Amino acid sequence: MKRISLFIILFLGILGGTQAQNSPNRQVVLQGFWWDYWNANYPNGWSNYLAELAPRLRALGIDAVWIPPTVKNPGTNSVGYVPFDHYDLGDKYQKNNVKTRMGDKDELLRMMAIMKANGLDVIQDIVLNHMNGAGAAIGGAGGADPAAMDDGQTSRFKNFRYSCYRRPVINENNVDYLARSGRFPKNWQNFYPNPGNPCCTNDINSPWWGPDISFEANAFGQSSNATYNPVQDSDYMRKGMRDWIIWYKKQQGWDGVRLDAIKHFPSYIAEDYLWNLQFNAGFASGGNDLFAVGEWVGGKAELDNWANSVQNRSGTFDFALRNALVGIINGIGNFDMGSVPSYQQDNRQRTVPFVNNHDTFRPQLSTNGNYTGWNLGQQLGLHIEPNNPRLSVVYGIILAVDGAPQIFFEDLFDIGYTGKRYSHQPRSETDLPVRSDIANLIWCHQNLRFKQGPYLVRWQAQDALVIERGGRALIALNDNWNTWQNLNGVQTNFPDGTQLRDYSGANGTAVRTVYGGGKVDISIPPCDGSALQGRRGYAVWAPVGITTNYIRTRKTITQEWEMNDDLGDSHALSLRQGGRLPDSSTVCRTVGKLFVAGGQPIRLEVFTADSIRKVNISLLDAQCGFLDSTEGAGTINYTYTPVLSGWVTVTVRNADSLTAGQRLFVKATYRAPDSASTNIPKPICNCVQGFITSSQDLQQDEVIKIWPNPVKDQLFMEFGKIAHQGLLQVKILDLGGRVIRSENIAYYGQQSTSVQISDLAPGLYITEIWNNQERLITQKIVKQ
């Protein structure tokens, strides 16, 4: 008896102690959006919404968040599934906007960093099948190629040209559009039909949602009417999309992928890209554990065949199992619960069981976002209403079986009948309430460590199904409306004498003792909500004494910016980031923004194309004031620890004007704060003609430029056509506010001046420019 008691104590200690987190392919994944996702408090800023929600997701025990596609679509009315420019993450001004539905690029990268700071992985939705929106913003000018073979649906709109740092948008006519030279342009031969490949004969070559990508090696050629018209070579789309997806992972720092519509492009393409993401993405390589799931709507044999065809680098959403879940909901107590295990796909190495997602759940909505009906013609199969009393039963199943269970946003959060779909605050538990049963099941999955025990089916009957996660928990399910299921002698892996309690709370404080070689008697509540705590149709029996113990490790994030002229955008309305360093000039370039936690180091690695010629890297604070800088060539490793949390802008320039220009890469590893108020204004610290402006409120022709920074001898000021005439005053102050230098300048138009500061001691100073009693600009400078 003493030996048994000691075993039980050790066993419970293992259950209750801190252990390794779920592997990526056993994680609880939240779909962090619904189909036409929107919140009026975050217009075209879903990244900000998710950043504000992240701490609640961590507290609920979510492992990973699936986000929608983040590349530029033809308009912000698109929710991400019609890609236009793969290299525009909300930083270029094209299609009459900078932002995507997710927000701008700075906001997107901030959300990624905040998710990681909360220990949450991010699963990026990726569309590889099709594109749309060829042409300028007004009338699609330039998008059509008269020489294109017709697919019968897209009217030959297959010239894809993009803005970039070298060639921003000038106007929206066809001449301007066809001259744009952004990375990865596409021509009509890159889509079906083309001279080597017909269209419209199968799932792969039919244009379901726009020009359909042809991944065949012979699908290449030139436009008949574009002026920017680089020669393409064999495998143009396959290689181009492979390069992009690796760039995409490095830039954003996401952890896994959801592949959209995998039935509609070759499985060898999916396997190619998944392998490269696993093993050929440099520092961003995900390895064997990279989370990946594909969307194939079909039966279990089709799902298994596709997973096998990609060498099990990805799983699929288990639509076969979902057929049973729909049967339980629509059977209103008459479905055979014992048959459920036979529905799940056989290849479950990376499977994702689910109840609803944005494709299966398309409600008709009132003006305030409440359900009024169902768009059955748009849904993939039948929906499951989140308020259905058997929702807990089907969620109990997907959390109990093998795989990475996917939780749908509208199932976890109640926004269907609150009238606050579009107006709630994500931080508010009142505005955005959680369904208690689903939250409890997630808690049980994580803290009872379901996935650390083998999957065992222990009871199968018309109204009762019991699944054991070996030695961890019994997940007991009942779809009967008003009758408890009292099961005697359920076989388990628990040793005799183990005391089990129901962590759903439906059975109160009742304790059941394992006896007779691992048997136990358990009770499962009905679906009418009459059980304690209103639990419906499930109980979770596990050893007594387990409390919250599942806590994900907070993480840094690594993101990499490539600086080249065919990326980014120099348009005045864009974020004005990107571009290679110019020849024989100290003109600077803005790399991007980091959202950092105070007291946590920023580690930069800069890789220059030239290993001899030095570049200067500078960091600016949230108000665009100077923080710190360093210089070097080749591979530069640099660490800076900010005092305050918030935005830090990274800029780069040649160290002297004799240096040839060059392409370079900037990789940043940093920790974001756990949370952020995303409505605080975000100034754009731009490099304009080589200088840093201090305010986003100045017009482009009113820019005041102060340079260089750091400075050795002479500090230059250049004034644009500011609206002030008369006497301007330039002041140099120390950090105590004492004026060190003061010069008056008669200003009557375009003007520049300089202040000699060679006699000042090295250190940090402040430059101010005044017009009478109005201070026009304040900027920190470093005297070397």
Side-chain angles (χ1 to χ4, degrees):
M1 184 65 183
K2 289 181 180 178
R3 291 179 180 177
I4 295 174
S5 299
L6 178 61
F7 178 86
I8 293 171
I9 292 170
L10 292 173
F11 181 80
L12 296 179
I14 292 171
L15 275 173
T18 301
Q19 298 183 27
Q21 296 170 172
N22 292 326
S23 69
N25 295 299
R26 295 295 181 265
Q27 291 180 339
V28 175
V29 179
L30 174 75
Q31 181 172 4
F33 62 102
W34 59 91
W35 169 240
D36 196 15
Y37 58 92
W38 184 263
N39 187 295
N41 301 306
Y42 307 87
N44 297 322
W46 198 251
S47 292
N48 297 331
Y49 177 95
L50 290 177
E52 301 255 7
L53 184 62
R56 288 188 68 189
L57 301 182
R58 174 182 174 83
L60 285 165
I62 299 298
D63 290 312
V65 181
W66 161 20
I67 65 172
T70 56
V71 303
K72 183 66 63 68
N73 277 213
T76 53
N77 60 317
S78 301
V79 295
Y81 291 92
V82 281
F84 167 68
D85 183 353
H86 291 93
Y87 284 95
D88 183 353
L89 302 182
D91 57 314
K92 302 184 186 184
Y93 180 74
Q94 51 187 350
K95 295 297 183 183
N96 280 336
N97 213 321
V98 174
K99 292 189 172 188
T100 68
R101 189 71 164 251
M102 293 291 291
D104 69 28
K105 183 177 179 179
D106 295 338
E107 295 164 339
L108 172 65
L109 299 186
R110 172 174 62 184
M111 179 272 292
M112 300 289 302
I114 288 176
M115 288 291 179
K116 299 294 282 187
N118 281 279
L120 301 169
D121 287 352
V122 176
I123 310 304
Q124 179 63 67
D125 208 327
I126 293 180
V127 179
L128 296 172
N129 171 59
H130 60 273
M131 299 181 64
N132 216 330
I138 300 174
D145 189 330
M149 296 173 66
D150 190 7
D151 59 23
Q153 294 190 34
T154 60
S155 301
R156 299 182 173 88
F157 275 77
K158 297 180 180 180
N159 279 324
F160 286 86
R161 296 295 184 272
Y162 308 118
S163 64
C164 60
Y165 202 90
R166 174 177 54 235
R167 185 60 174 75
V169 170
I170 299 172
N171 58 50
E172 295 296 343
N173 63 32
N174 65 324
V175 174
D176 179 72
Y177 177 80
L178 291 169
R180 297 174 192 173
S181 55
R183 184 171 295 185
F184 200 21
K186 290 98 178 169
N187 302 324
W188 67 268
Q189 296 93 334
N190 305 141
F191 304 93
Y192 296 110
N194 52 57
N197 304 282
C199 83
C200 318
T201 62
N202 55 47
D203 284 330
I204 288 179
N205 65 17
S206 298
W208 299 103
W209 300 282
D212 202 69
I213 294 173
S214 178
F215 283 104
E216 289 79 6
N218 60 355
F220 65 94
Q222 289 184 280
S223 168
S224 72
N225 57 339
T227 50
Y228 179 69
N229 203 10
V231 174
Q232 297 181 352
D233 58 9
S234 178
D235 263 331
Y236 181 79
M237 290 302 290
R238 182 173 183 174
K239 290 186 293 187
M241 293 289 269
R242 182 193 300 132
D243 291 344
W244 162 71
I245 203 169
I246 292 172
W247 171 91
Y248 197 20
K249 190 175 193 305
K250 289 180 175 180
Q251 174 65 90
Q252 283 190 208
W254 37 260
D255 304 277
V257 292
R258 181 260 186 188
L259 302 180
D260 183 66
I262 54 176
K263 185 186 297 187
H264 298 281
F265 59 93
S267 59
Y268 65 79
I269 292 295
E271 199 274 337
D272 177 343
Y273 298 163
L274 290 167
W275 182 89
N276 277 276
L277 289 173
Q278 288 177 321
F279 304 113
N280 195 39
F283 73 87
S285 295
N288 278 322
D289 282 341
L290 177 83
F291 180 94
V293 60
E295 180 211 17
W296 183 297
V297 183
K300 62 188 299 182
E302 294 172 299
L303 303 179
D304 290 344
N305 288 340
W306 186 85
N308 292 334
S309 71
V310 298
Q311 310 299 314
N312 286 310
R313 302 190 191 283
S314 172
T316 57
F317 291 101
D318 198 340
F319 275 89
L321 176 64
R322 189 176 187 272
N323 290 335
L325 308 185
V326 171
I328 291 169
I329 297 296
N330 293 337
I332 55 174
N334 295 313
F335 189 83
D336 180 3
M337 289 287 289
S339 69
V340 169
S342 67
Y343 281 77
Q344 192 178 19
Q345 64 182 113
D346 295 326
N347 187 335
R348 299 196 292 271
Q349 295 183 50
R350 296 174 184 260
T351 187
V352 175
F354 75 107
V355 173
N356 281 318
N357 64 33
H358 67 295
D359 284 324
T360 67
F361 192 80
R362 298 280 180 90
Q364 296 170 349
L365 302 173
S366 65
T367 55
N368 62 6
N370 286 354
Y371 306 145
T372 60
W374 308 98
N375 292 305
L376 300 179
Q378 295 183 15
Q379 294 179 172
L380 295 178
L382 296 175
H383 63 273
I384 293 176
E385 155 69 89
N387 279 358
N388 189 288
R390 291 178 174 81
L391 184 75
S392 309
V393 177
V394 294
Y395 264 96
I397 292 170
I398 71 162
L399 286 154
V401 299
D402 280 341
Q406 174 244 301
I407 314 297
F408 183 49
F409 190 99
E410 298 201 42
D411 293 340
L412 178 60
F413 295 108
D414 183 3
I415 58 172
Y417 298 102
T418 64
K420 294 185 176 181
R421 175 184 294 269
Y422 305 123
S423 61
H424 65 267
Q425 291 291 345
R427 293 173 182 260
S428 170
E429 295 183 13
T430 301
D431 268 13
L432 186 63
V434 171
R435 287 188 171 84
S436 175
D437 279 12
I438 309 306
N440 172 254
L441 281 163
I442 294 170
W443 187 96
C444 291
H445 180 281
Q446 304 295 54
N447 294 282
L448 304 180
R449 310 299 174 96
F450 284 6
K451 295 302 162 55
Q452 291 181 13
Y455 168 41
L456 304 166
V457 180
R458 292 302 197 183
W459 196 281
Q460 293 171 277
Q462 178 68 31
D463 289 329
L465 173 67
V466 179
I467 294 171
E468 180 183 1
R469 298 309 306 204
R472 293 287 170 176
L474 295 172
I475 302 93
L477 306 155
N478 171 18
D479 73 341
N480 192 285
W481 177 246
N482 56 11
T483 302
W484 283 75
Q485 301 299 306
N486 299 303
L487 310 182
N488 296 325
V490 178
Q491 184 64 51
T492 77
N493 274 5
F494 294 108
D496 288 357
T498 304
Q499 291 186 319
L500 306 182
R501 59 158 287 202
D502 176 12
Y503 283 85
S504 79
N507 284 278
T509 59
V511 174
R512 306 293 171 85
T513 302
V514 178
Y515 66 92
K519 295 181 173 59
V520 69
D521 302 334
I522 61 174
S523 299
I524 320 170
C527 295
D528 62 0
S530 61
L532 293 174
Q533 301 197 39
R535 297 295 185 227
R536 297 179 181 271
Y538 78 98
V540 182
W541 294 91
V544 299
I546 302 173
T547 57
T548 300
N549 59 77
Y550 185 84
I551 302 174
R552 289 183 61 83
T553 303
R554 299 184 186 276
K555 301 175 184 177
T556 60
I557 193 167
T558 300
Q559 296 165 330
E560 182 180 77
W561 289 257
E562 179 184 352
M563 304 295 290
N564 212 357
D565 280 347
D566 62 346
L567 295 172
D569 190 5
S570 55
H571 193 284
L573 297 179
S574 74
L575 295 189
R576 283 163 279 183
Q577 298 174 0
R580 72 191 291 273
L581 297 184
D583 293 331
S584 305
S585 172
T586 56
V587 169
C588 88
R589 295 284 185 260
T590 299
V591 177
K593 282 186 181 291
L594 317 176
F595 193 75
V596 301
Q600 295 292 326
I602 303 168
R603 295 182 176 86
L604 294 182
E605 293 179 73
V606 181
F607 309 93
T608 65
D610 191 308
S611 62
I612 298 175
R613 298 183 179 94
K614 289 185 177 181
V615 299
N616 175 280
I617 300 97
S618 294
L619 302 182
L620 311 179
D621 65 19
Q623 288 74 46
C624 303
F626 178 81
L627 286 173
D628 199 24
S629 68
T630 191
E631 289 189 356
T635 301
I636 306 164
N637 292 291
Y638 166 61
T639 299
Y640 174 79
T641 302
V643 174
L644 301 177
S645 296
W647 292 111
V648 169
T649 299
V650 182
T651 68
V652 63
R653 62 178 175 84
N654 287 322
D656 60 66
S657 60
L658 302 178
T659 299
Q662 57 183 308
R663 170 194 185 202
L664 50 82
F665 294 84
V666 179
K667 182 171 73 172
T669 301
Y670 62 99
R671 170 77 60 80
D674 300 344
S675 61
S677 296
T678 61
N679 60 349
I680 297 174
K682 173 175 67 76
I684 297 176
C685 308
N686 292 313
C687 288
V688 181
Q689 299 179 11
F691 313 98
I692 300 166
T693 64
S694 291
S695 173
Q696 63 178 346
D697 299 323
L698 293 172
Q699 299 298 315
Q700 191 176 15
D701 60 352
E702 295 181 354
V703 170
I704 301 174
K705 307 158 190 173
I706 301 175
W707 63 288
N709 194 4
V711 57
K712 291 182 179 179
D713 300 316
Q714 201 166 17
L715 187 65
F716 294 89
M717 294 90 176
E718 187 169 334
F719 312 104
K721 298 177 182 179
I722 56 180
H724 309 275
Q725 294 200 3
L727 197 66
L728 296 180
Q729 187 177 34
V730 178
K731 298 179 182 180
I732 307 295
L733 301 86
D734 63 19
L735 292 183
R738 184 171 62 94
V739 177
I740 307 297
R741 295 279 187 279
S742 179
E743 292 192 14
N744 294 328
I745 302 165
Y747 175 78
Y748 295 101
Q750 194 77 14
Q751 186 75 37
S752 63
T753 191
S754 65
V755 176
Q756 183 62 241
I757 60 171
S758 58
D759 59 327
L760 295 185
L764 187 62
Y765 295 88
I766 298 171
T767 302
E768 296 180 346
I769 300 177
W770 291 75
N771 177 58
N772 294 324
Q773 300 302 310
E774 181 183 0
R775 183 169 54 189
L776 302 179
I777 191 171
T778 299
Q779 184 170 310
K780 295 177 184 177
I781 60 168
V782 174
K783 169 65 170 62
Q784 293 182 329

